[in-house]
């Protein structure tokens, strides 16, 4: 909960802090919106002005600016700027 509050103070919008889990090492850019039922773990880096969720699990994922990820389970992948990923995507590995 402290991580979520810290991120919200830095310009990240979290729609439902009770269903959003974010590791302390995660970095998220300003103007990004995190939707309900989202988990972001590891050393994930989310760019600015992104929409993540709902129903997303990210682990060690890099997401470029202005990207959208929804209904996805991803780990150890890189998503470019202005990309749209999902719905219903699963990808693990480099």
């Amino acid at each position: 909960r402290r991580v979520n509050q810290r991120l919200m103070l830095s310009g990240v919008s979290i729609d439902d802090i009770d269903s959003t889990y974010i590791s302390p090492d995660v970095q998220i850019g300003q103007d990004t919106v995190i939707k309900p039922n989202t988990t972001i773990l590891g050393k994930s880096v989310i760019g600015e002005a992104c929409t993540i969720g709902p129903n997303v699990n990210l682990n060690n994922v890099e997401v470029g600016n202005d990207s959208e990820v929804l209904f996805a389970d991803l780990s150890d992948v890189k998503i470019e700027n202005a990309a749209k990923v999902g719905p219903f995507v699963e990808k693990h590995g480099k």
Side-chain angles (χ1 to χ4, degrees):
R1 196 159 234 198
R2 279 183 248 154
V3 172
N4 291 356
Q5 290 172 341
R6 175 182 52 83
L7 288 167
M8 289 188 296
L9 289 173
S10 72
V12 175
S13 296
I14 299 176
D15 286 356
D16 182 3
I17 61 170
D18 292 326
S19 70
T20 302
Y21 304 95
I22 302 172
S23 292
D25 292 333
V26 170
Q27 298 175 34
I28 302 177
Q30 289 185 342
D31 299 322
T32 289
V33 177
I34 308 297
K35 299 287 188 178
N37 299 318
T38 295
T39 302
I40 307 172
L41 303 174
K43 298 196 182 279
S44 294
V45 178
I46 311 298
E48 296 182 353
C50 294
T51 300
I52 308 297
N55 302 316
V56 168
N57 292 310
L58 303 178
N59 186 20
N60 297 320
V61 172
E62 184 177 336
V63 179
N65 297 327
D66 301 306
S67 293
E68 180 179 24
V69 180
L70 62 150
F71 297 98
D73 183 10
L74 307 170
S75 63
D76 301 309
V77 297
K78 180 178 180 177
I79 298 169
E80 300 296 328
N81 291 332
K84 292 190 178 194
V85 177
F88 311 114
V89 175
E90 184 176 339
K91 174 74 175 158
H92 300 275
K94 294 186 178 199

